Amino acid sequence: MHRAHTAFSLALSPMAHKNFATWLLNSSSSQKLVKATAAAAVRTYNSAAAEPFANGSTATYVEEMYNSWLRDPSSVHTSWDAYFRSNTYMSPPNLAPVQANTMPLSAFNFGGAASAAPDSKTIDDHLAVQAIIRSYQSRGHLASDLDPLGILTREKTVCKDGLARRANEDVLRQHSGFLFGEQDMERQFKLPSTTFIGGDEASLPLKEILNRLENVYCNKIGVEFMFINSLEQCNWIRKRFETPGVLSFTPEEKRLILARLTRATGFEAFLAKKYSSEKRFGLEGCEIMIPALKEIIDVSTELGVESVIMGMPHRGRLNTLANVCRKPLNQIFTQFAGLEAADDGSGDVKYHLGTYIERLNRVTNKNIRLAVVANPSHLEAVDPVVQGKTRAEQFYRGDQEGKKVMSILIHGDAAYCGQGVVYETMHLSDLPDYTTHGTIHVVANNQIGFTTDPRFSRSSPYCTDVARVVNAPIFHVNADDPEAVMHVCKVAAEWRATFHKDCVIDLVGYRRNGHNEIDEPMFTQPLMYQKIRKHKNCLDLYADKLIAEGTVTGEEVKSVAAKYENICEEAFALAKTETHVKYKDWLDSPWSGFFEGKDPLKVAPTGIKEETLIHIGNRFSSPPPNAAEFVIHKGLMRVLAARKAMVDDKMADWALGEAMAFGSLLKEGIHVRLSGQDVERGTFSHRHHVLHHQLVDKATYNALQHMYPDQAPYSVSNSSLSEYAVLGFEHGYSMTNPNALVLWEAQFGDFSNTAQSIIDQFISSGQSKWVRQSGLVMLLPHGMEGMGPEHSSCRVERFLLMSSDDPDYFPPESDEFAIRQLHDINWIVANCTTPANLFHILRRQVALPFRKPLILCTPKSLLRHPEAKSPFSEMSEGSEFLRIIPDRGPAAENPSSVKKVVFCTGRVYYDLTKARAEKQLEKDIAIVRVEQISPFPFDLVKEQANLYKNAELVWTQEEHKNQGCWSYVQPRFLTALNHSRDVSQSDEQSTFSNTTTTTDNTNTNQASNIDTDTDSDSEQKSKPWLSRMFASNNKIENDNDNDATTTVNAIGHKHFDLKNARHDFNRPAGIAAAPGVRIAKTGRKISYVGRACSASTATGSKAQHIRELNALLNDAMST
Ligand SMILES: Cc1ncc(C[n+]2csc(CCOP(=O)(O)OP(=O)(O)O)c2C)c(N)n1
Ligand SMILES: [Mg+2]
């Protein structure tokens, strides 16, 4: 912008304006140009949306003169000479270096004496040619021949200069009026430094200039790049497309393209033949995408890339796995056979599965790793995940510039422009802590989205316009021209390797079939499909071309196709011998070595040495080592001093508890990465991990990066204001290496709902669908504090609804109860009330022998609550995470006389204890905190219920009744309470009753249960759940009193033998252990105390909040 700005300031100043006009000798056309330029200058000056041509021409013009003047001061008018001599003109930083093919105007023979000044017409004509060149560069793509079906293609028309061209007013705008006559066609024109069409020539006949421009910019490639702010980058692109001969290929290269295209086409044809009624989302109409991806990978490998991570939707996915990744074909074909899986998990449809392959690239003879990340139906959701995974791989390899690891994202045209996450992801592309140093985006643009035409699916001219916001060049290319496509791919790979920035390849093709293979496209796109039916496929077109030019023979073409078909047939035969599919074959992020040799039920201790706590505490509370020079804000000095005082007292608040967890993991070599909006300071100003020098810009200090000399790296980074992309990114980051703690923090918990598909499709279900684990932590500030309808609840109920533990199933009790539950569940949901528990649960993420996502409700005002502190003793060796924090006061000393037990979770605990103290009810009411909500601590709830055997049990929560944990905990309390009656442990010390199958006498209030003794477990489990349900005699009874119901296992009662407990522990996913029949009974129950149901996530006003909270506390404390 600096460049344009300089030029416009000059054009606008009265003096400069005069000089400018004088120099143009007042010719009428020149005056028009002056006016137009000045007007454009005003527009541009006033508006950030610069019009590229107008500012460009002025700037180019001044720049041209400046370049001429540099070489020969006499080549410009004396007024310009004076101006440049005065040093007023600043050469912009990105001014193009003087090109080899430029020469001063003065040195140019315009037909007169060499030394004579050019006349005004000559200058005007040169300016017009420059303007036309620039028009083609800026807008030639608008007239390029991109559509293989020709529906949108503009035919060439013969213009007044006698040349046939596609470029019309859209491209040339006002300059179409400047077009020359036929008599000018042989005139020689000097080429400006901003074009490369001349090759080594400094000038060309006008006809040649125009034809070359038309050929470069309005043919099968449409290059969109002139919006890029860097002149260097613009010139780089111009050179790659304008230099004569760039599109020539050797016969070997052509044969390689043909062979690859044959495979891509043959693969779809083979699937169509063998599985004609199966959905495969074939690539027909855009098969060139396969050779295109291979070309990108070949060139990138040649330039140093060793690992490519890809994200892509359904279209052509199987083809990519087969022909780009070279996943064994038999594994792919097995997916069509509907076989049972040999391993755990629910699986996914074949066109969603991921893969990871290491292989030799035969073209470059280098080893390469290719990963295609498993993705859900939700289009584009995988984009940020791929970016996060790529970033992590770069990080672990020390690849700071992205030279070794790169990502490729493949998009559908409708999804690329329609889905907001694309924009959010592209905005991460240049952020220091999120960049992957350039992604190549490939749009498989079949000019349709399901049944919707582009004119109804986007308001932008191209589906790729979103990329303009990050200055990514966009290469549109006709997918029926394989050589044009390969050229574009080569340029894209070189662009990435040179500038490490995103770029886009828009492969404009068509879709030969319906959306999937069983869809009828003629319903909705009749005319388009009439054309498609008549259109030859790309392979045939290209083969014809190569045969015609003599590069290959018809026999060769046939034999290449036949050879590939044979390969497919052999793999097909092999696939038939398979009896099972293995999900593990489709894992995109294998963690080799992580699981091996580990006891899957052993969790490492999370308590640490007190001296480590003190060391971390001291470091964390100290100013930078060079404190004398590093000026810290006074408020922060106070924060540090308060931290120091706490450390001296061996106490930790929330920020310290978190820092202790991070610091100790870093010490143990575990990389910690915390990301999210404003996380460096913390939304509530409690964290302050990055201290800013008050006088020096960008001078910062991060104590956690300086805990120990050999510690692992710590990264904390404020993110862009996105939840969807950033959460997806961190999820992807967490997939790469299990030995890391990756955390994403929402500004307020409820904002996580804009990332819902990352939560639903990846975090909650990733392991089940794709056998992929992640230990990602979501920190969700949560708490009803009268702040208005939003900013309060993190909607914990939504996470709980997706927790996979069975409400009606009390797992076998043993020492391994907690770890088995963790192993079985899809994720952990917790709400900790003490810094020590926060410390332990964070460390437990890494101490576990497997990885589970952790959804953590975190406090807001509680961050500073004087009671929400923990002594070091609760974090030191021997201490551990407490799933439940029992009452430790007078109530616990005499439990049998306690009248009421209030179970709760989160910050309401502190309100409850205060209210209880005010009412002096410490002996009568016990308050029990459920810190780990899911998996539900059945065993500990049972223990508490048994402890307070005469007490009424209530659950209270700060959220409304239809929100918070109530719906989740209620049935689980029932299961725990019902089960609590069989703890007499009579003669069954080593056996366990499955759910509610025995009667007991510990609580006389409880009625007996029904024990439906049916088939053996193993028999039952072998039947599909539906037939089991109907086979059972159990029927559902509901007396509308849920509080007094219990559940009987429809599978049957069966006792659990601890030795065989693992059998149940490995219960097939999706098959409920206890589908459940509800039998009414009286007995201990859990009642709800708290706010009524509400449509809003919080109370609207502070006053209402206080009123409701008081009512809640009153109810909870009534005995
Ligand atoms: C987020 C989301 N919304 C809707 C859909 C349903 N859907 C599946 S494919 C499709 C059309 C996609 O068109 P395009 O991106 O052009 O890809 P193509 O199928 O044409 O290759 C739609 C709407 C989806 N999968 N994901
Ligand atoms: Mg499409």
Side-chain angles (χ1 to χ4, degrees):
M1 286 324 289
H2 175 62
R3 169 175 166 238
H5 198 92
T6 310
F8 293 133
S9 314
L10 175 69
L12 280 172
S13 84
M15 186 51 209
H17 189 266
K18 188 161 166 276
N19 286 342
F20 189 71
T22 317
W23 191 74
L24 286 169
L25 301 173
N26 293 327
S27 80
S28 61
S29 59
S30 310
Q31 275 184 352
K32 260 191 257 160
L33 190 62
V34 172
K35 276 190 201 148
T37 312
V42 173
R43 264 205 318 278
T44 310
Y45 195 75
N46 289 339
S47 147
E51 197 276 325
F53 172 75
N55 68 30
S57 65
T58 317
T60 311
Y61 168 70
V62 178
E63 205 178 296
E64 281 296 318
M65 276 200 297
Y66 183 62
N67 282 341
S68 292
W69 177 80
L70 280 178
R71 285 186 300 267
D72 175 6
S74 68
S75 67
V76 300
H77 188 267
T78 47
S79 58
W80 283 108
D81 182 39
Y83 176 69
F84 291 137
R85 273 180 207 286
S86 71
N87 277 339
T88 316
Y89 179 70
M90 296 279 292
S91 172
N94 57 358
L95 190 65
V98 176
Q99 301 296 307
N101 67 346
T102 60
M103 59 199 287
L105 269 179
S106 58
F108 212 75
N109 189 345
F110 293 105
S115 58
D119 63 25
S120 67
K121 170 149 178 22
T122 304
I123 292 165
D124 283 352
D125 287 352
H126 268 80
L127 285 175
V129 170
Q130 287 197 14
I132 289 168
I133 292 172
R134 199 168 181 96
S135 296
Y136 269 101
Q137 292 172 335
S138 297
R139 292 181 299 277
H141 58 86
L142 293 173
S144 53
D145 179 13
L146 299 178
D147 180 9
L149 302 175
I151 298 171
L152 300 177
T153 311
R154 188 192 312 251
E155 289 309 319
K156 285 190 175 178
T157 52
V158 179
C159 303
K160 75 174 191 188
D161 55 14
L163 300 182
R165 55 164 67 85
R166 286 198 190 86
N168 61 357
E169 275 91 47
D170 284 356
V171 177
L172 298 172
R173 292 198 184 154
Q174 68 273 33
H175 307 292
S176 50
F178 285 103
L179 284 181
F180 297 83
E182 287 187 48
Q183 70 284 358
D184 294 311
M185 289 299 107
E186 299 309 323
R187 274 174 67 195
Q188 196 81 2
F189 278 83
K190 171 190 178 299
L191 296 167
S193 61
T194 49
T195 189
F196 296 83
I197 51 171
D200 294 334
E201 306 292 327
S203 68
L204 284 177
L206 182 55
K207 187 175 178 181
E208 192 61 28
I209 292 175
L210 297 173
N211 280 340
R212 287 189 189 186
L213 288 170
E214 181 76 12
N215 198 35
V216 169
Y217 288 107
C218 298
N219 209 342
K220 306 287 178 180
I221 299 174
V223 202
E224 236 190 313
F225 68 105
M226 288 292 278
F227 52 83
I228 295 176
N229 294 327
S230 155
L231 180 64
E232 184 199 357
Q233 291 172 9
C234 286
N235 276 341
W236 189 94
I237 292 170
R238 287 190 266 239
K239 192 169 183 182
R240 297 300 177 290
F241 287 96
E242 291 182 353
T243 305
V246 286
L247 270 172
S248 48
F249 287 77
T250 64
E252 287 69 37
E253 287 168 335
K254 291 179 183 181
R255 276 199 288 271
L256 181 64
I257 300 172
L258 185 74
R260 288 176 167 179
L261 195 52
T262 306
R263 283 177 166 248
T265 311
F267 179 80
E268 298 296 351
F270 189 80
L271 290 186
K273 188 170 77 180
K274 298 288 185 192
Y275 311 100
S276 57
S277 58
E278 282 269 351
K279 283 191 205 171
R280 65 188 148 87
F281 295 101
L283 197 52
E284 291 98 328
C286 208
E287 295 99 329
I288 198 64
M289 186 178 95
I290 301 300
L293 292 173
K294 291 181 84 90
E295 176 73 8
I296 294 170
I297 293 167
D298 286 352
V299 177
S300 299
T301 326
E302 202 63 78
L303 295 169
V305 167
E306 293 168 4
S307 174
V308 179
I309 298 163
M310 289 185 268
M312 69 179 302
H314 49 283
R315 181 85 47 219
R317 193 177 175 100
L318 296 174
N319 210 327
T320 305
L321 297 184
N323 286 318
V324 178
C325 304
R326 292 197 178 267
K327 187 167 188 65
L329 286 174
N330 56 310
Q331 281 183 16
I332 296 175
F333 297 154
T334 312
Q335 284 289 328
F336 285 85
L339 300 175
E340 280 290 336
D343 36 20
D344 284 350
S346 57
D348 200 345
V349 290
K350 49 192 165 294
Y351 40 84
H352 285 170
L353 297 171
T355 205
Y356 173 87
I357 303 265
E358 273 188 69
R359 68 170 174 82
L360 186 74
N361 182 319
R362 289 189 219 149
V363 173
T364 59
N365 214 22
K366 289 183 177 172
N367 257 333
I368 180 132
R369 294 171 176 203
L370 298 171
V372 177
V373 176
N375 76 305
S377 276
H378 292 59
L379 294 168
E380 306 292 344
V382 79
D383 298 0
V385 178
V386 168
Q387 295 306 319
K389 182 170 158 57
T390 307
R391 170 79 188 195
E393 207 174 303
Q394 288 172 349
F395 169 80
Y396 291 114
R397 280 171 170 245
D399 179 20
Q400 289 179 356
E401 292 163 74
K403 290 187 169 161
K404 301 221 159 77
V405 184
M406 72 177 279
S407 59
I408 300 177
L409 287 179
I410 298 151
H411 314 268
D413 53 316
Y416 192 52
C417 61
Q419 289 291 306
V421 70
V422 173
Y423 177 89
E424 291 185 33
T425 306
M426 295 207 77
H427 259 295
L428 299 179
S429 65
D430 234 357
L431 304 182
D433 288 316
Y434 301 84
T435 178
T436 54
H437 308 283
T439 298
I440 299 183
H441 299 263
V442 178
V443 183
N445 181 354
N446 51 20
Q447 309 188 72
I448 192 166
F450 209 148
T451 65
T452 306
D453 292 332
R455 65 201 146 122
F456 298 115
S457 73
R458 63 174 189 254
S459 299
S460 56
Y462 293 108
C463 62
T464 51
D465 283 0
V466 63
R468 294 170 65 115
V469 296
V470 294
N471 267 257
I474 301 159
F475 310 121
H476 307 279
V477 58
N478 188 317
D480 264 3
D481 187 333
E483 290 171 16
V485 172
M486 292 313 119
H487 179 63
V488 154
C489 292
K490 179 167 174 279
V491 173
E494 288 172 356
W495 163 272
R496 188 206 172 261
T498 308
F499 298 108
H500 288 287
K501 284 178 164 292
D502 284 25
C503 63
V504 180
I505 298 169
D506 179 20
L507 284 179
V508 187
Y510 56 93
R511 192 186 69 194
R512 184 163 289 280
N513 303 313
H515 177 60
N516 58 58
E517 289 63 32
I518 33 190
D519 244 8
E520 173 51 84
M522 292 290 268
F523 287 156
T524 48
Q525 272 75 27
L527 300 183
M528 186 187 205
Y529 274 82
Q530 281 168 26
K531 278 226 158 204
I532 291 174
R533 299 279 180 259
K534 288 185 213 137
H535 193 77
K536 267 194 172 184
N537 76 23
C538 180
L539 174 63
D540 291 346
L541 291 172
Y542 193 52
D544 290 351
K545 176 177 178 264
L546 296 196
I547 293 167
E549 70 184 33
T551 308
V552 291
T553 63
E555 281 63 44
E556 278 176 86
V557 173
K558 280 189 199 135
S559 97
V560 175
K563 210 166 135 199
Y564 185 63
E565 193 170 348
N566 268 346
I567 295 172
C568 290
E569 286 289 359
E570 278 167 25
F572 183 73
L574 187 60
K576 279 195 161 167
T577 64
E578 299 281 351
T579 53
H580 284 83
V581 287
K582 293 188 210 85
Y583 297 141
K584 289 204 170 73
D585 287 344
W586 300 82
L587 187 56
D588 54 19
S589 313
W591 290 342
S592 31
F594 176 66
F595 298 105
E596 281 98 70
K598 267 208 178 92
D599 182 341
L601 298 178
K602 199 156 179 63
V603 54
T606 52
I608 58 173
K609 285 195 169 65
E610 192 177 275
E611 65 201 54
T612 309
L613 294 168
I614 293 171
H615 175 85
I616 296 170
N618 281 335
R619 282 279 165 128
F620 188 59
S621 56
S622 301
N626 57 342
E629 297 106 68
F630 195 106
V631 183
I632 298 176
H633 191 278
K634 281 204 181 75
L636 285 182
M637 289 303 284
R638 283 196 295 276
V639 169
L640 293 181
R643 275 181 189 165
K644 181 79 179 83
M646 262 188 293
V647 175
D648 291 345
D649 286 349
K650 297 193 180 168
M651 291 294 287
D653 66 359
W654 205 265
L656 261 172
E658 183 187 78
M660 299 293 189
F662 290 3
S664 56
L665 290 171
L666 294 168
K667 175 175 189 277
E668 291 158 22
I670 301 295
H671 166 47
V672 178
R673 175 181 165 100
L674 170 62
S675 142
Q677 292 152 31
D678 307 295
V679 294
E680 294 175 13
R681 187 200 74 170
T683 297
F684 313 103
S685 206
H686 74 291
R687 186 176 282 130
H688 294 295
H689 283 189
V690 181
L691 305 181
H692 291 259
H693 197 309
Q694 297 293 300
L695 304 175
V696 180
D697 188 31
K698 297 188 191 120
T700 56
Y701 175 69
N702 183 336
L704 280 168
Q705 290 174 344
H706 305 283
M707 293 280 137
Y708 296 91
D710 53 352
Q711 69 171 74
Y714 174 57
S715 137
V716 56
S717 42
N718 291 347
S719 74
S720 70
L721 210 168
S722 148
E723 286 80 24
Y724 193 168
V726 179
L727 180 60
F729 187 99
E730 301 312 333
H731 173 73
Y733 200 99
S734 76
M735 277 156 47
T736 303
N737 185 340
N739 294 316
L741 182 69
V742 183
L743 310 96
W744 174 78
E745 183 171 72
Q747 184 116 89
F748 287 88
D750 52 348
F751 293 123
S752 68
N753 61 10
T754 69
Q756 201 63 47
S757 36
I758 298 297
I759 298 168
D760 295 357
Q761 269 61 50
F762 289 90
I763 301 176
S764 127
S765 54
Q767 181 176 355
S768 166
K769 294 192 290 190
W770 307 318
V771 289
R772 176 213 287 162
Q773 300 193 8
S774 157
L776 180 72
V777 180
M778 288 178 69
L779 300 174
L780 304 176
H782 172 81
M784 308 279 279
E785 295 175 359
M787 298 276 283
E790 284 79 44
H791 300 137
S792 297
S793 170
C794 75
R795 313 295 325 239
V796 68
E797 63 277 8
R798 293 192 174 159
F799 295 95
L800 292 171
L801 202 62
M802 289 190 285
S803 274
S804 65
D805 63 341
D806 187 335
D808 305 321
Y809 175 66
F810 197 131
E813 284 182 274
S814 73
D815 292 345
E816 294 163 343
F817 186 92
I819 182 89
R820 279 175 186 274
Q821 271 197 314
L822 291 172
H823 180 280
D824 268 6
I825 202 156
N826 58 332
W827 60 16
I828 304 160
V829 183
N831 190 347
C832 299
T833 54
T834 69
N837 240 10
L838 170 75
F839 166 87
H840 285 295
I841 202 166
L842 292 178
R843 283 183 53 79
R844 192 181 71 174
Q845 282 302 94
V846 178
L848 289 173
F850 43 78
R851 293 290 172 260
K852 296 284 165 176
L854 169 63
I855 314 300
L856 201 55
C857 312
T858 58
K860 299 181 294 180
S861 68
L862 198 64
L863 296 168
R864 290 183 183 73
H865 197 290
E867 284 169 41
K869 288 192 177 146
S870 301
F872 280 14
S873 59
E874 291 181 7
M875 299 188 281
S876 54
E877 280 171 317
S879 62
E880 62 178 355
F881 175 69
L882 302 175
R883 290 177 290 145
I884 270 190
I885 305 185
D887 199 307
R888 290 167 179 150
E893 283 159 22
N894 194 0
S896 55
S897 62
V898 166
K899 295 184 185 132
K900 189 174 194 176
V901 182
V902 180
F903 288 93
C904 66
T905 188
R907 58 151 283 141
V908 74
Y909 165 77
Y910 292 98
D911 297 327
L912 289 166
T913 47
K914 188 162 164 256
R916 180 176 64 176
E918 280 165 10
K919 295 188 180 226
Q920 299 184 338
L921 290 169
E922 279 99 338
K923 285 187 183 147
D924 303 297
I925 297 182
I927 304 176
V928 177
R929 287 170 270 178
V930 179
E931 302 267 306
Q932 177 179 294
I933 309 159
S934 181
F936 190 72
F938 291 100
D939 53 338
L940 301 181
V941 166
K942 171 183 128 178
E943 195 177 283
Q944 291 294 307
N946 283 342
L947 180 65
Y948 302 103
K949 52 178 175 280
N950 302 318
E952 175 197 0
L953 309 178
V954 301
W955 170 265
T956 194
Q957 60 182 29
E958 49 183 335
E959 304 87 357
H960 294 88
K961 190 175 179 185
N962 57 327
Q963 300 164 30
C965 303
W966 174 236
S967 314
Y968 175 85
V969 299
Q970 185 193 23
R972 288 167 177 82
F973 262 102
L974 284 175
T975 301
L977 295 179
N978 289 329
H979 208 72
S980 69
R981 291 166 302 115
D982 78 342
V983 289
S984 58
Q985 288 152 18
S986 53
D987 54 340
E988 295 185 315
Q989 281 296 341
S990 63
T991 60
F992 291 85
S993 167
N994 188 6
T995 70
T996 58
T997 55
T998 60
T999 56
D1000 79 52
N1001 45 21
T1002 53
N1003 188 327
T1004 49
N1005 282 335
Q1006 291 183 340
S1008 63
N1009 296 298
I1010 290 177
D1011 180 357
T1012 50
D1013 198 351
T1014 58
D1015 306 351
S1016 74
D1017 278 7
S1018 54
E1019 268 177 63
Q1020 285 290 349
K1021 282 170 191 161
S1022 64
K1023 291 181 188 171
W1025 69 271
L1026 206 62
S1027 57
R1028 266 191 289 126
M1029 196 173 93
F1030 290 115
S1032 153
N1033 289 329
N1034 302 326
K1035 64 179 197 303
I1036 294 175
E1037 290 174 22
N1038 191 342
D1039 67 352
N1040 290 331
D1041 180 5
N1042 282 344
D1043 287 350
T1045 62
T1046 186
T1047 303
V1048 172
N1049 185 354
I1051 292 176
H1053 72 291
K1054 292 303 125 191
H1055 295 298
F1056 260 94
D1057 183 339
L1058 249 193
K1059 278 181 279 167
N1060 294 325
R1062 190 176 288 263
H1063 176 60
D1064 192 66
F1065 166 67
N1066 285 327
R1067 198 170 66 234
I1071 300 192
V1077 174
R1078 301 205 145 199
I1079 309 292
K1081 73 180 186 70
T1082 57
R1084 289 189 89 183
K1085 60 180 185 179
I1086 180 88
S1087 321
Y1088 172 82
V1089 166
R1091 288 181 162 100
C1093 294
S1094 165
S1096 166
T1097 47
T1099 57
S1101 69
K1102 187 98 184 166
Q1104 191 191 351
H1105 165 70
I1106 292 169
R1107 195 167 60 245
E1108 286 186 3
L1109 181 63
N1110 286 339
L1112 178 159
L1113 295 174
N1114 259 334
D1115 288 352
M1117 291 304 137
S1118 70
T1119 50

